[in-house]
Amino acid sequence: MSWNLDNDRPIFVQIVEHLQCDIVSGVYAPGQKIPSVRELATEASVNPNTMQRALSELERDGLMHSERTSGRFITEDITMIDKLKEELATKRIEDFLKQMERLGLSPREIKDLIAKKVKE
Amino acid sequence: MSNLLSIQGLTKVYSSTPALYNVDLEIGSGHIIGLLGPNGSGKTTIIKIICGLLQPTAGKVLVDGHEVGVESKKIISYLPDHTYLNDNMTIHETILYFMDFYEDFDADRAYAMLEKLNINPDAKMKTLSKGTKEKVQLILVMSRRARLYILDEPIAGVDPAARDYILNTIISNYDPEATIIISTHLISDVENVLDDVIFLQNGQIALHSSVDDIRQNEGKSVDALFREVYRCLEN
């Protein structure tokens, strides 16, 4: 499976997350046309209906819009993309902090370790 | 309007053993459905009845409103679980044969897929490996512009890389108006391409649900649920 999906979480949710990452990381640039449902479904090895549903969800959120005949495009609203990027990063940092807490690290120790790692 | 496939009270008894008992099933257009169940659960029996190869003991099957017969066969493209092609024909001759048989057969589509999979159309069927033969059969079945595709164990005999090829062939040739029913027990290989799954157990439907609902509600894959359900029922 070329998209590396987990087998215990809904596929739909994972497709949405994957595309969100592609948008904030610039795999798809603002305003860029994205491949068709069929192409994306083939690339991800998932059901085209599930892919369609994920794209509709991203459209509802305003991250994409479709034009009747010419296809589906990434939003040109860079503020929106930046906001999503921050949300996604914050979520990951929160998860990370929880794991560090479970290892018994204090906020200070976490900060020091990160600073050390970033320098490398 | 009736559904693409509508089954009511379907029962099939072999001598005195029931293979299917009072099965009701409604399937609409535009879905990819997994028909899952352990050996002997009735998968192939239900498929053969839908395709008109077996007579039901009781019950009714309608395909796009037609009773099983000439009209239903026109819109069903069926991949059986065994080879039925003539070993002495080349792939090219087999394609001509299919064109004679099925008015919805799209030869261009078949040749394009053969080329993509690096299969030489001039090769004789008997010179092909088992896996290649399965690929050719699937290409022939998927090259019809049918409304309902029924694939009985389409990936059982091929290696994992070829399975990915085959599943991609199914996805990339999929017509959003058509429905595909895939019978298999290699669940983990196919579950990402399915909308819905049907679990058969002792000739009855034990579960009919969407893949994502199962993952959402059970927190596990369809494959894991299958192993659990059938372990429980056996005790």
Side-chain angles (χ1 to χ4, degrees):
Chain A
M1 299 287 152
S2 36
W3 270 27
N4 244 334
L5 304 170
D6 299 336
N7 60 16
D8 52 358
R9 294 196 303 133
I11 300 157
F12 161 74
V13 173
Q14 297 184 66
I15 296 175
V16 168
E17 289 171 355
H18 189 104
L19 290 168
Q20 283 176 334
C21 277
D22 281 355
I23 295 169
V24 301
S25 66
V27 171
Y28 298 120
Q32 189 185 329
K33 185 181 175 183
I34 63 162
S36 69
V37 171
R38 188 186 300 236
E39 283 164 345
L40 284 169
T42 309
E43 186 191 311
S45 299
V46 300
N47 183 298
N49 294 323
T50 314
M51 181 57 73
Q52 173 69 52
R53 207 148 51 88
L55 295 175
S56 304
E57 169 88 2
L58 291 164
E59 273 181 30
R60 251 196 310 281
D61 294 344
L63 282 167
M64 296 178 180
H65 55 94
S66 45
E67 278 167 30
R68 201 171 279 262
T69 51
S70 47
R72 207 177 252 104
F73 297 85
I74 305 294
T75 181
E76 292 179 29
D77 184 345
I78 294 166
T79 324
M80 179 189 272
I81 295 175
D82 284 344
K83 204 178 136 222
L84 175 67
K85 191 183 215 161
E86 200 183 316
E87 272 174 33
L88 294 177
T90 307
K91 176 81 182 64
R92 279 169 175 63
I93 291 170
E94 283 168 1
D95 290 346
F96 166 77
L97 289 177
K98 256 180 230 155
Q99 287 171 353
M100 291 303 111
E101 244 167 66
R102 281 185 55 199
L103 292 177
L105 270 73
S106 71
R108 154 124 259 143
E109 288 170 311
I110 298 171
K111 251 195 221 162
D112 289 349
L113 271 177
I114 293 175
K116 202 168 129 198
K117 206 69 197 161
V118 170
K119 246 184 252 157
E120 285 169 12
Chain B
M1 258 313 280
S2 64
N3 272 323
L4 181 58
L5 178 64
S6 172
I7 294 178
Q8 282 153 19
L10 190 64
T11 298
K12 174 72 184 176
V13 181
Y14 292 116
S15 54
S16 63
T17 328
L20 287 175
Y21 184 69
N22 206 13
V23 170
D24 294 323
L25 183 61
E26 297 289 328
I27 293 175
S29 294
H31 290 89
I32 304 181
I33 291 164
L35 185 62
L36 315 176
N39 302 115
S41 56
K43 298 190 298 279
T44 297
T45 301
I46 199 168
I47 284 175
K48 285 191 170 166
I49 292 172
I50 298 167
C51 295
L53 301 171
L54 274 179
Q55 286 297 321
T57 310
K60 205 165 136 185
V61 176
L62 291 177
V63 182
D64 199 27
H66 304 289
E67 286 191 20
V68 173
V70 177
E71 288 305 312
S72 75
K73 287 181 188 183
K74 271 188 194 166
I75 57 176
I76 295 178
S77 189
Y78 166 54
L79 179 75
D81 60 353
H82 57 270
T83 313
Y84 60 97
L85 300 172
N86 185 339
D87 251 357
N88 288 315
M89 284 185 174
T90 64
I91 297 174
H92 175 71
E93 286 164 349
T94 312
I95 287 176
L96 293 176
Y97 186 70
F98 264 66
M99 286 170 74
D100 275 346
F101 248 99
Y102 301 111
E103 49 191 27
D104 61 357
F105 190 81
D106 183 346
D108 291 343
R109 200 171 174 180
Y111 285 115
M113 282 193 268
L114 287 169
E115 204 188 320
K116 231 161 70 187
L117 292 170
N118 282 320
I119 300 171
N120 176 10
D122 294 322
K124 264 199 177 168
M125 293 303 296
K126 68 174 161 202
T127 66
L128 305 175
S129 73
K130 184 168 190 279
T132 308
K133 218 179 262 180
E134 287 198 11
K135 287 184 207 167
V136 170
Q137 263 181 231
L138 185 75
I139 287 171
L140 293 169
V141 167
M142 295 308 291
S143 294
R144 285 185 55 198
R145 305 264 175 204
R147 299 280 314 281
L148 179 59
Y149 297 87
I150 300 183
L151 315 177
D152 197 356
E153 296 287 356
I155 56 172
V158 301
D159 63 80
R163 271 177 215 168
D164 288 350
Y165 256 137
I166 287 177
L167 289 175
N168 275 333
T169 307
I170 292 173
I171 298 170
S172 56
N173 288 289
Y174 172 62
D175 164 2
E177 292 303 305
T179 280
I180 305 178
I181 298 176
I182 303 176
S183 134
T184 186
H185 35 239
L186 295 167
I187 304 173
S188 58
D189 283 317
V190 299
E191 66 176 275
N192 281 2
V193 311
L194 304 176
D195 292 282
D196 293 347
V197 292
I198 295 166
F199 281 14
L200 276 180
Q201 170 74 12
N202 297 331
Q204 289 185 296
I205 292 176
L207 175 78
H208 186 177
S209 172
S210 87
V211 171
D212 271 0
D213 282 350
I214 289 174
R215 291 184 178 202
Q216 181 81 54
N217 300 332
E218 309 282 338
K220 58 173 74 92
S221 66
V222 174
D223 186 58
L225 179 69
F226 182 92
R227 288 164 199 261
E228 200 179 286
V229 165
Y230 289 108
R231 190 164 40 228
C232 291
L233 289 175
E234 276 161 19
N235 288 338

